[in-house]
Amino acid sequence: MPLTPDEIDRYARHLVLRDMGGPGQLKLKGARVLVIGAGGLGAPLIQYLAAAGIGTIGLVDSDAVSLSNLQRQVIHGTPDIGTLKVESAAKAILRLNPHVTAEPHDLRLTAENARDLIRRYDIVAEGSDNFETRYAVSDACFFERKPLVTAALGQFDGSLTTIRAHETGPDGKPNPTYRCLFPSSPPPGTIPTCAEAGVLGALAGVMGSLMAMEVIREIVGFGESLVGRLLMVDARSMRFDTIRYGWDENNPLNGSEAVSFRTA
C-alpha cells in the first residue's frame, strides 16, 4: 500500500535519506518483525521500530511489569506495574504510531513453540535474558529461513550480531550460525543474572537502539550488516569493537553434524 499523507509527513526525515527514500519506507511498512523480550533491550528496540514505521510488530514475553524493571525498561511506566509487558508495550506502540499493528504473544518462547511463531514473521529480533531462549530462537530461525538480530547485556557491556545462517556468504560457504559463535551455553550458575549482578540502565538503551538499526538495515538493505561480525560495547571505557567470526563446519545446524541434530 502507498504511504498516506500523514505517513509522508511522519516519515519525512526517512524519505529524504538517499539510502532509504520512499522504496525503503514502503519496505518497512510491509515488514513483520517479531521481538523476543519486552524488557531492557526490547523496550528501546520496540519504540524505534514503531517510530520507524514497521508495519507489524510481534511481541513475545510472559512477564508482568515490576517496579525494578523501570530503571531500564523505558517502554513501561509506573502506572503499568502489574500489567503484562506485551500489553504495556502494545499500548505504547499505538500511542507512538497508530499506523503500526502490535501483536502481543503472552508466552515463553521454547524449542517446542518457536518455529510455529517465527514462521509468521519476516525477521526476528531477540533480546531475552537466558541462553535457553537464545538457542531456541536461533535454531528456529535457521530452520524457518528467517534473519535474526540478537543482542545480550552484561553489567557494563553488551554485544550484538546478525545471523543469516540459512544463506551463503560471498565465498560460497554457509553463513555462520549462532552455534558457530557460541557452540554451547555456559554451565548453570557461571554467569549471574541481571537481578544478581545488576545492569547499567542506559546501556540497555544503547544496545536496544543498535538492534533497531540492524533490523531496519536488514529490511531496507543499506550499508554493511553484522552478519559474521560481533559488535562488542564496553560502557566503562566507551569502546566499540568488532570481531569477525565464521562458519564452523562442525556446528550441528548446517555443518557435518546437521543430520544427527535435525533428527534428534
Side-chain angles (χ1 to χ4, degrees):
M1 296 179 62
L3 299 176
T4 65
D6 181 71
E7 288 174 306
I8 291 173
D9 192 21
R10 178 182 292 267
Y11 308 128
R13 302 304 183 272
H14 271 180
L15 297 177
V16 296
L17 282 175
R18 184 179 62 181
D19 292 334
M20 175 74 73
Q25 192 62 52
L26 286 173
K27 288 180 180 179
L28 296 179
K29 183 176 181 176
R32 292 176 54 82
V33 178
L34 182 65
V35 176
I36 313 296
L41 291 168
L45 165 64
I46 292 164
Q47 290 179 95
Y48 272 109
L49 292 182
I54 298 295
T56 302
I57 302 176
L59 308 166
V60 178
D61 205 302
S62 60
D63 291 338
V65 179
S66 65
L67 182 60
S68 63
N69 297 149
L70 303 185
Q71 162 256 13
R72 64 202 176 281
Q73 300 180 16
V74 294
I75 199 169
H76 313 296
T78 303
D80 299 314
I81 293 173
T83 303
L84 289 173
K85 288 183 180 179
V86 292
E87 293 182 358
S88 173
K91 288 190 296 183
I93 289 173
L94 180 61
R95 185 168 60 247
L96 180 61
N97 191 344
H99 301 288
V100 176
T101 299
E103 295 181 346
H105 302 282
D106 173 25
L107 55 85
R108 183 179 180 86
L109 193 142
T110 66
E112 289 69 35
N113 62 20
R115 291 187 62 177
D116 179 62
L117 184 59
I118 284 171
R119 70 168 57 104
R120 308 178 204 174
Y121 294 86
D122 303 317
I123 184 169
V124 178
E126 185 273 323
S128 65
D129 58 359
N130 67 89
F131 282 95
E132 181 182 1
T133 300
R134 291 172 193 164
Y135 283 106
V137 171
S138 61
D139 291 349
C141 284
F142 171 77
F143 290 119
E144 295 301 325
R145 303 182 62 81
K146 306 292 185 180
L148 167 66
V149 175
T150 179
L153 285 176
Q155 293 173 296
F156 291 90
D157 61 273
S159 62
L160 169 67
T161 191
T162 297
I163 309 287
R164 300 186 73 103
H166 56 287
E167 299 173 346
T168 57
D171 58 1
K173 294 181 179 179
N175 283 331
T177 71
Y178 186 79
R179 291 177 181 271
C180 296
L181 182 59
F182 301 109
S184 60
S185 61
T190 57
I191 298 181
T193 65
C194 173
E196 295 168 336
V199 62
L200 183 65
L203 176 62
V206 171
M207 298 308 300
S209 298
L210 289 172
M211 289 181 75
M213 191 153 56
E214 272 303 289
V215 170
I216 294 170
R217 183 199 315 280
E218 291 300 310
I219 295 170
V220 176
F222 61 86
E224 180 184 359
S225 81
L226 282 175
V227 172
R229 298 190 298 148
L230 179 68
L231 175 66
M232 299 181 297
V233 178
D234 182 349
R236 290 184 184 275
S237 59
M238 198 51 73
R239 287 175 56 93
F240 286 67
D241 297 304
T242 305
I243 63 171
R244 292 191 176 273
Y245 64 96
W247 173 65
D248 179 2
E249 64 179 8
N250 294 316
N251 87 82
L253 288 176
N254 58 9
S256 59
E257 300 179 14
V259 174
S260 61
F261 180 84
R262 295 186 190 195
T263 58

Short mmCIF file of all heavy atoms in Angstrom, two decimals, residues 38-41 43-44 47 65-78 81 85 153-156 193-206:
data_model
loop_
_atom_site.label_atom_id
_atom_site.label_comp_id
_atom_site.label_asym_id
_atom_site.label_seq_id
_atom_site.Cartn_x
_atom_site.Cartn_y
_atom_site.Cartn_z
N ALA A 38 10.29 -8.03 25.94
CA ALA A 38 9.86 -6.63 26.03
C ALA A 38 10.45 -6.00 27.28
O ALA A 38 9.78 -5.26 28.00
CB ALA A 38 8.32 -6.55 26.06
N GLY A 39 11.75 -6.30 27.52
CA GLY A 39 12.43 -5.81 28.70
C GLY A 39 13.46 -4.75 28.37
O GLY A 39 13.20 -3.85 27.57
N GLY A 40 14.66 -4.88 28.95
CA GLY A 40 15.68 -3.86 28.80
C GLY A 40 16.09 -3.60 27.36
O GLY A 40 16.18 -2.45 26.92
N LEU A 41 16.35 -4.65 26.60
CA LEU A 41 16.70 -4.50 25.19
C LEU A 41 15.47 -4.25 24.34
O LEU A 41 15.49 -3.43 23.41
CB LEU A 41 17.43 -5.74 24.69
CG LEU A 41 18.84 -5.97 25.26
CD1 LEU A 41 19.33 -7.37 24.91
CD2 LEU A 41 19.80 -4.92 24.72
N ALA A 43 12.66 -2.81 25.06
CA ALA A 43 11.97 -1.52 25.26
C ALA A 43 12.39 -0.48 24.23
O ALA A 43 11.54 0.06 23.50
CB ALA A 43 12.19 -1.03 26.68
N PRO A 44 13.67 -0.12 24.10
CA PRO A 44 14.05 0.86 23.08
C PRO A 44 13.91 0.29 21.67
O PRO A 44 13.57 1.04 20.74
CB PRO A 44 15.51 1.18 23.41
CG PRO A 44 15.99 -0.01 24.18
CD PRO A 44 14.82 -0.50 24.95
N GLN A 47 10.29 0.65 20.55
CA GLN A 47 9.92 2.05 20.33
C GLN A 47 10.49 2.57 19.01
O GLN A 47 9.79 3.27 18.26
CB GLN A 47 10.40 2.90 21.49
CG GLN A 47 9.63 2.63 22.78
CD GLN A 47 10.13 3.47 23.94
OE1 GLN A 47 9.59 4.54 24.22
NE2 GLN A 47 11.16 3.00 24.60
N VAL A 65 5.07 -6.25 34.33
CA VAL A 65 5.93 -5.12 34.69
C VAL A 65 6.06 -5.04 36.21
O VAL A 65 5.06 -5.10 36.94
CB VAL A 65 5.34 -3.80 34.15
CG1 VAL A 65 6.23 -2.62 34.54
CG2 VAL A 65 5.18 -3.87 32.63
N SER A 66 7.30 -4.90 36.68
CA SER A 66 7.55 -4.71 38.11
C SER A 66 8.32 -3.41 38.31
O SER A 66 8.90 -2.87 37.37
CB SER A 66 8.33 -5.89 38.69
OG SER A 66 9.63 -5.95 38.12
N LEU A 67 8.34 -2.94 39.54
CA LEU A 67 8.99 -1.67 39.83
C LEU A 67 10.47 -1.70 39.48
O LEU A 67 11.01 -0.71 38.98
CB LEU A 67 8.79 -1.32 41.31
CG LEU A 67 9.36 0.03 41.79
CD1 LEU A 67 8.73 1.18 41.02
CD2 LEU A 67 9.14 0.19 43.29
N SER A 68 11.14 -2.82 39.72
CA SER A 68 12.57 -2.91 39.45
C SER A 68 12.90 -2.90 37.96
O SER A 68 14.06 -2.71 37.59
CB SER A 68 13.15 -4.17 40.09
OG SER A 68 12.58 -5.34 39.53
N ASN A 69 11.88 -3.09 37.10
CA ASN A 69 12.10 -3.04 35.65
C ASN A 69 12.31 -1.62 35.15
O ASN A 69 12.96 -1.40 34.12
CB ASN A 69 10.90 -3.62 34.89
CG ASN A 69 10.64 -5.08 35.15
OD1 ASN A 69 9.50 -5.52 35.11
ND2 ASN A 69 11.67 -5.86 35.44
N LEU A 70 11.74 -0.65 35.83
CA LEU A 70 11.59 0.68 35.27
C LEU A 70 12.90 1.46 35.17
O LEU A 70 12.95 2.49 34.50
CB LEU A 70 10.57 1.48 36.08
CG LEU A 70 9.17 0.84 36.19
CD1 LEU A 70 8.22 1.76 36.91
CD2 LEU A 70 8.63 0.46 34.82
N GLN A 71 13.96 0.97 35.80
CA GLN A 71 15.27 1.62 35.71
C GLN A 71 15.85 1.52 34.30
O GLN A 71 16.70 2.30 33.91
CB GLN A 71 16.20 0.98 36.76
CG GLN A 71 17.68 1.19 36.56
CD GLN A 71 18.35 -0.08 36.01
OE1 GLN A 71 17.69 -1.02 35.56
NE2 GLN A 71 19.66 -0.09 36.05
N ARG A 72 15.37 0.58 33.48
CA ARG A 72 15.93 0.36 32.15
C ARG A 72 14.87 0.04 31.09
O ARG A 72 15.12 0.22 29.90
CB ARG A 72 16.96 -0.77 32.18
CG ARG A 72 16.35 -2.11 32.54
CD ARG A 72 17.37 -3.12 33.08
NE ARG A 72 16.71 -4.36 33.48
CZ ARG A 72 16.05 -4.51 34.63
NH1 ARG A 72 15.94 -3.51 35.47
NH2 ARG A 72 15.48 -5.66 34.94
N GLN A 73 13.72 -0.44 31.49
CA GLN A 73 12.70 -0.87 30.53
C GLN A 73 11.75 0.30 30.25
O GLN A 73 10.62 0.35 30.73
CB GLN A 73 11.97 -2.10 31.06
CG GLN A 73 12.93 -3.27 31.28
CD GLN A 73 12.27 -4.52 31.80
OE1 GLN A 73 11.05 -4.68 31.73
NE2 GLN A 73 13.06 -5.44 32.32
N VAL A 74 12.26 1.24 29.44
CA VAL A 74 11.64 2.56 29.35
C VAL A 74 10.35 2.60 28.53
O VAL A 74 9.72 3.66 28.44
CB VAL A 74 12.66 3.58 28.77
CG1 VAL A 74 13.81 3.78 29.74
CG2 VAL A 74 13.21 3.08 27.42
N ILE A 75 9.94 1.50 27.96
CA ILE A 75 8.66 1.49 27.26
C ILE A 75 7.51 1.40 28.25
O ILE A 75 6.37 1.72 27.94
CB ILE A 75 8.60 0.33 26.24
CG1 ILE A 75 7.51 0.59 25.19
CG2 ILE A 75 8.39 -1.02 26.93
CD1 ILE A 75 7.56 -0.37 24.02
N HIS A 76 7.82 0.97 29.48
CA HIS A 76 6.81 0.84 30.54
C HIS A 76 6.92 2.01 31.52
O HIS A 76 7.99 2.61 31.67
CB HIS A 76 7.00 -0.49 31.29
CG HIS A 76 7.19 -1.67 30.40
ND1 HIS A 76 6.22 -2.12 29.54
CD2 HIS A 76 8.26 -2.52 30.26
CE1 HIS A 76 6.67 -3.18 28.88
NE2 HIS A 76 7.91 -3.44 29.30
N GLY A 77 5.83 2.30 32.21
CA GLY A 77 5.82 3.37 33.20
C GLY A 77 5.27 2.88 34.52
O GLY A 77 4.77 1.75 34.63
N THR A 78 5.33 3.73 35.52
CA THR A 78 4.86 3.37 36.85
C THR A 78 3.40 2.89 36.84
O THR A 78 3.07 1.90 37.52
CB THR A 78 5.02 4.56 37.82
OG1 THR A 78 6.41 4.95 37.83
CG2 THR A 78 4.59 4.18 39.22
N ILE A 81 2.79 -1.03 36.26
CA ILE A 81 3.22 -2.09 37.18
C ILE A 81 2.08 -3.09 37.40
O ILE A 81 0.94 -2.71 37.67
CB ILE A 81 3.68 -1.48 38.53
CG1 ILE A 81 4.96 -0.67 38.33
CG2 ILE A 81 3.90 -2.58 39.57
CD1 ILE A 81 5.39 0.09 39.57
N LYS A 85 3.80 -7.32 30.20
CA LYS A 85 4.70 -6.48 29.41
C LYS A 85 4.26 -6.36 27.96
O LYS A 85 4.39 -5.30 27.35
CB LYS A 85 6.13 -7.02 29.50
CG LYS A 85 6.79 -6.82 30.84
CD LYS A 85 8.23 -7.31 30.84
CE LYS A 85 8.87 -7.10 32.19
NZ LYS A 85 10.27 -7.60 32.23
N LEU A 153 23.23 -8.39 27.16
CA LEU A 153 23.73 -7.37 28.08
C LEU A 153 24.51 -8.00 29.22
O LEU A 153 24.15 -9.07 29.72
CB LEU A 153 22.55 -6.59 28.70
CG LEU A 153 21.82 -5.56 27.84
CD1 LEU A 153 20.65 -5.00 28.64
CD2 LEU A 153 22.75 -4.45 27.41
N GLY A 154 25.59 -7.33 29.63
CA GLY A 154 26.28 -7.63 30.88
C GLY A 154 26.06 -6.47 31.82
O GLY A 154 25.16 -5.65 31.64
N GLN A 155 26.91 -6.36 32.83
CA GLN A 155 26.77 -5.25 33.77
C GLN A 155 27.06 -3.91 33.11
O GLN A 155 26.28 -2.96 33.20
CB GLN A 155 27.71 -5.47 34.95
CG GLN A 155 27.37 -6.66 35.82
CD GLN A 155 28.44 -6.90 36.87
OE1 GLN A 155 29.58 -7.22 36.55
NE2 GLN A 155 28.08 -6.74 38.13
N PHE A 156 28.22 -3.83 32.44
CA PHE A 156 28.65 -2.61 31.76
C PHE A 156 29.06 -2.91 30.33
O PHE A 156 29.82 -2.15 29.73
CB PHE A 156 29.82 -1.96 32.50
CG PHE A 156 29.46 -1.37 33.83
CD1 PHE A 156 29.53 -2.13 34.98
CD2 PHE A 156 29.03 -0.05 33.94
CE1 PHE A 156 29.20 -1.60 36.22
CE2 PHE A 156 28.70 0.50 35.17
CZ PHE A 156 28.78 -0.28 36.31
N THR A 193 22.67 -13.59 36.77
CA THR A 193 21.54 -12.96 36.12
C THR A 193 21.59 -11.45 36.35
O THR A 193 22.35 -10.95 37.18
CB THR A 193 20.22 -13.50 36.67
OG1 THR A 193 20.11 -13.14 38.06
CG2 THR A 193 20.15 -15.02 36.55
N CYS A 194 20.73 -10.74 35.63
CA CYS A 194 20.64 -9.29 35.80
C CYS A 194 20.26 -8.94 37.23
O CYS A 194 20.79 -8.00 37.82
CB CYS A 194 19.61 -8.74 34.82
SG CYS A 194 19.21 -7.00 35.01
N ALA A 195 19.34 -9.73 37.82
CA ALA A 195 18.92 -9.46 39.19
C ALA A 195 20.05 -9.66 40.18
O ALA A 195 20.13 -8.97 41.20
CB ALA A 195 17.74 -10.37 39.55
N GLU A 196 20.94 -10.59 39.86
CA GLU A 196 22.05 -10.89 40.76
C GLU A 196 23.21 -9.90 40.62
O GLU A 196 23.82 -9.47 41.60
CB GLU A 196 22.57 -12.31 40.51
CG GLU A 196 21.56 -13.40 40.83
CD GLU A 196 21.98 -14.75 40.31
OE1 GLU A 196 22.79 -14.80 39.34
OE2 GLU A 196 21.51 -15.76 40.85
N ALA A 197 23.54 -9.55 39.38
CA ALA A 197 24.74 -8.75 39.13
C ALA A 197 24.45 -7.28 38.85
O ALA A 197 25.31 -6.43 39.00
CB ALA A 197 25.51 -9.34 37.95
N GLY A 198 23.21 -6.97 38.41
CA GLY A 198 22.88 -5.60 38.05
C GLY A 198 23.21 -5.30 36.60
O GLY A 198 23.93 -6.06 35.93
N VAL A 199 22.71 -4.20 36.11
CA VAL A 199 22.99 -3.76 34.74
C VAL A 199 22.78 -2.25 34.67
O VAL A 199 21.88 -1.70 35.31
CB VAL A 199 22.09 -4.48 33.72
CG1 VAL A 199 20.62 -4.18 33.97
CG2 VAL A 199 22.48 -4.12 32.29
N LEU A 200 23.64 -1.58 33.91
CA LEU A 200 23.51 -0.14 33.71
C LEU A 200 22.32 0.13 32.81
O LEU A 200 22.28 -0.33 31.67
CB LEU A 200 24.80 0.40 33.08
CG LEU A 200 24.89 1.90 32.86
CD1 LEU A 200 24.88 2.65 34.19
CD2 LEU A 200 26.16 2.24 32.07
N GLY A 201 21.35 0.87 33.31
CA GLY A 201 20.11 1.06 32.57
C GLY A 201 20.30 1.69 31.21
O GLY A 201 19.71 1.26 30.21
N ALA A 202 21.12 2.73 31.12
CA ALA A 202 21.31 3.42 29.85
C ALA A 202 21.98 2.52 28.81
O ALA A 202 21.79 2.72 27.60
CB ALA A 202 22.15 4.67 30.06
N LEU A 203 22.76 1.54 29.26
CA LEU A 203 23.39 0.61 28.32
C LEU A 203 22.34 -0.19 27.56
O LEU A 203 22.50 -0.46 26.37
CB LEU A 203 24.34 -0.32 29.07
CG LEU A 203 25.02 -1.41 28.23
CD1 LEU A 203 25.91 -0.80 27.16
CD2 LEU A 203 25.83 -2.35 29.13
N ALA A 204 21.28 -0.57 28.26
CA ALA A 204 20.19 -1.27 27.58
C ALA A 204 19.60 -0.41 26.47
O ALA A 204 19.24 -0.91 25.40
CB ALA A 204 19.10 -1.65 28.59
N GLY A 205 19.52 0.90 26.72
CA GLY A 205 19.03 1.81 25.69
C GLY A 205 19.93 1.86 24.48
O GLY A 205 19.46 1.87 23.33
N VAL A 206 21.25 1.87 24.71
CA VAL A 206 22.21 1.89 23.61
C VAL A 206 22.09 0.62 22.78
O VAL A 206 21.97 0.67 21.55
CB VAL A 206 23.65 2.04 24.15
CG1 VAL A 206 24.66 1.84 23.04
CG2 VAL A 206 23.83 3.40 24.80
#
